[in-house]
């Protein structure tokens, strides 16, 4: 598994080890978003620290052979891709290529690429299906779309048993606080301003991270090679509603909400139709109201996890991105 020390990857590994008793090797570069601490409660997992874009690291992680590669490793934050796209092209493009080549070299039986609803662009009404055109807006989503097309080419050209899972916006424990929900929760707990981009009416389709993990598990076990499976959350909400709910759950004061300059090329709405993965037996279990409360409680209770993050490089990133210091 690649990128297993990040947010979704570490939650997926936890499900696989605890519920499926899988033996898992994680290949992860441990960028700012990848942390050993995310796997600290799973000592049985082997961690190979290395870059998916490096053939030698891929060979080392595959070792004597693996049954499947699930690729979560990526540069994932849209705002960072707007400021500095290069790592997105390298990791998401070249990295995916090296993994596909590794899968071919070692005759790995199954390959699952973790992708995103952002490859479809923005949709005003209705929901994307797997047949919707690929119209990415940001360097992040363009690099993910390119990776998806490469994965499909390896199925068509070389017969690699590869498939793609496209998830909607995930939230839950272990998410790095550059993303909307953990950023707002930690700022609210500290009384820092809550920076809402533009008018705050952009809509996201929220998916609890364990639901995504189980959807990926379904696709891994029952999905058909060459296919794409959308895995969308059960609820949609405009950003400003999410932020106001976080204010309530943390007991903060609504006056700390601040409207700031919008993100360039900001997609207005995402919505994923998930009928195809449902037909494989998957269903989201956690509604947004319940999942958000669980998530706020997790951040409240796990100060040891986020205090080192919030006091490190993140502060410099925050100042560059928001033009003000934290705290
Ligand atoms: P994350 O940023 O929390 O973690 C990414 C992980 O990849 C980190 O552990 C990092 O160290 C690792 N990584 C980065 N570059 C690497 C490289 N070159 N070699 C090896 N490891 C590397 O990301 P996330 O939010 O957990 O997302 C995981 C995957 O799911 C990504 O592919 C992302 O595009 C996709 N996705 C994310 C969401 C979301 O809402 N977060 C939704 C749908 C799909
Ligand atoms: O949809 C899936 C995608 O969701 C994943 O592929 C990406 O990896 C992941 O980062 C996420 O992308 P978004 O851009 O939707 O997530 P982000 O948390 O950055 O922003 C969510 C919304 O909140 C978006 O409309 C921008 C807005 N926002 C975000 C931040 C960080 C704000 O208004 N203020 C902020 O400070």
């Amino acid at each position: 598994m690649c990128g297993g020390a990040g947010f979704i990857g570490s939650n997926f590994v936890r499900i696989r080890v605890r519920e499926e008793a899988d033996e898992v090797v994680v290949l992860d570069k441990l960028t700012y978003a990848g942390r050993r601490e995310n796997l600290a409660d799973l000592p049985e997992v082997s961690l190979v620290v290395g870059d998916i874009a490096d053939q030698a690291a891929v060979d080392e992680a595959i070792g004597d052979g693996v049954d499947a590669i699930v690729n979560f490793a990526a540069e994932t934050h849209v705002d960072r891709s707007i400021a500095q796209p290069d790592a997105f092209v390298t990791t998401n493009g070249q990295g995916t290529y090296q993994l596909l080549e590794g899968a071919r070299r070692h005759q790995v039986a199954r390959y699952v690429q973790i992708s995103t609803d952002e490859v479809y662009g923005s949709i005003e009404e209705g929901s994307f299906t797997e047949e919707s055109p690929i119209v990415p807006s940001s360097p992040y989503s363009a690099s993910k779309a390119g990776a998806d097309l490469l994965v499909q080419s390896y199925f068509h050209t070389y017969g690699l048993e590869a498939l793609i899972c496209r998830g909607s916006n995930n939230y839950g424990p272990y998410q790095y606080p550059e993303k909307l929900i953990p950023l707002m929760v930690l700022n609210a707990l500290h009384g820092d301003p809550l920076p809402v981009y533009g008018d705050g009416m952009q809509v996201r389709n929220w998916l609890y991270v364990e639901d995504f993990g189980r959807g990926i598990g379904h696709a891994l076990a029952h999905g058909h090679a060459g296919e794409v499976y959308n895995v969308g959350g059960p609820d949609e909400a405009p950003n400003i509603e999410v932020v106001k709910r976080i204010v309530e759950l943390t007991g903060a004061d609504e006056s700390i909400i601040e409207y700031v300059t919008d993100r360039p090329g900001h997609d207005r709405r995402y919505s994923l139709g998930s009928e195809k993965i449902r037909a494989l037996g998957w269903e989201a279990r956690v509604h947004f109201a319940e999942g958000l409360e669980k998530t706020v409680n997790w951040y409240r209770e796990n100060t040891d996890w986020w205090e080192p993050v919030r006091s490190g490089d993140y502060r410099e990133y925050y100042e560059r991105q928001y033009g003000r210091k934290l705290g």
Side-chain angles (χ1 to χ4, degrees):
M1 158 153 347
C2 307
F7 163 50
I8 306 175
S10 62
N11 279 284
F12 180 73
V13 176
R14 192 164 291 105
I15 292 172
R16 299 305 299 188
V17 168
R18 298 215 175 130
E19 296 178 12
E20 308 291 332
D22 279 358
E23 278 179 44
V24 178
V25 178
V26 167
L27 171 60
D28 198 298
K29 192 177 169 184
L30 299 182
T31 66
Y32 73 93
R35 300 180 67 209
R36 285 177 193 277
E37 292 86 334
N38 295 356
L39 298 170
D41 58 329
L42 300 169
E44 59 274 62
V45 171
S46 311
L47 174 64
V48 174
V49 179
D51 190 334
I52 57 165
D54 172 9
Q55 184 182 321
V58 171
D59 283 340
E60 186 190 340
I62 294 176
D64 294 332
V66 293
D67 299 329
I69 294 177
V70 184
N71 180 29
F72 292 89
E75 288 292 335
T76 63
H77 196 46
V78 173
D79 293 325
R80 289 186 196 252
S81 86
I82 294 168
Q84 283 183 313
D86 50 355
F88 289 75
V89 176
T90 311
T91 288
N92 303 356
Q94 181 73 11
T96 301
Y97 160 71
Q98 283 298 350
L99 289 177
L100 291 166
E101 280 296 306
R104 230 157 60 87
R105 234 181 359 264
H106 295 269
Q107 295 170 344
V108 176
R110 210 124 161 100
Y111 180 100
V112 181
Q113 176 75 0
I114 307 308
S115 184
T116 168
D117 58 1
E118 297 200 13
V119 300
Y120 299 120
S122 191
I123 189 164
E124 287 291 320
E125 285 175 10
S127 300
F128 294 118
T129 71
E130 289 81 358
E131 310 305 322
S132 298
I134 302 294
V135 194
S137 311
S138 70
Y140 161 69
S141 51
S143 67
K144 293 294 290 183
D148 285 6
L149 297 181
L150 205 54
V151 171
Q152 286 175 319
S153 80
Y154 272 62
F155 167 72
H156 290 294
T157 308
Y158 305 113
L160 183 71
E161 292 262 322
L163 47 105
I164 297 168
C165 285
R166 293 190 179 133
S168 60
N169 278 67
N170 277 232
Y171 67 105
Y174 300 98
Q175 187 168 33
Y176 191 82
E178 66 194 350
K179 304 291 199 288
L180 178 78
I181 288 180
L183 183 147
M184 296 296 173
V185 171
L186 296 185
N187 279 19
L189 290 174
H190 288 84
D192 281 331
L194 308 182
V196 173
Y197 295 163
D199 63 1
M201 290 308 290
Q202 304 81 8
V203 172
R204 295 295 181 262
N205 180 187
W206 293 102
L207 175 64
Y208 194 63
V209 66
E210 290 177 4
D211 277 335
F212 193 27
R214 293 203 174 85
I216 295 164
H218 263 76
L220 178 63
H222 312 295
H224 299 293
E227 296 291 317
V228 174
Y229 293 91
N230 289 345
V231 186
D235 302 296
E236 296 177 18
N239 295 335
I240 187 65
E241 272 182 24
V242 176
V243 173
K244 286 187 174 165
R245 184 67 189 128
I246 289 171
V247 165
E248 274 171 31
L249 288 168
T250 53
D253 193 311
E254 232 182 78
S255 64
I256 62 176
I257 295 176
E258 204 170 272
Y259 290 90
V260 301
T261 310
D262 207 352
R263 172 186 280 175
H266 199 169
D267 285 334
R268 196 74 181 159
R269 175 171 173 264
Y270 300 138
S271 176
L272 267 190
S274 310
E275 285 69 23
K276 201 167 155 183
I277 188 94
R278 277 207 203 98
L280 296 182
W282 173 84
E283 201 63 59
R285 296 181 188 170
V286 182
H287 275 284
F288 189 54
E290 178 198 346
L292 187 61
E293 201 168 336
K294 276 163 69 156
T295 303
V296 170
N297 289 339
W298 188 86
Y299 281 92
R300 270 190 196 285
E301 288 159 13
N302 287 276
T303 48
D304 287 357
W305 183 85
W306 56 256
E307 268 171 357
V309 175
R310 222 173 174 260
S311 60
D313 294 349
Y314 179 68
R315 298 186 81 81
E316 281 166 36
Y317 162 76
Y318 194 93
E319 201 175 334
R320 271 199 317 275
Q321 176 64 24
Y322 295 95
R324 67 191 313 159
K325 285 185 194 296
L326 259 186

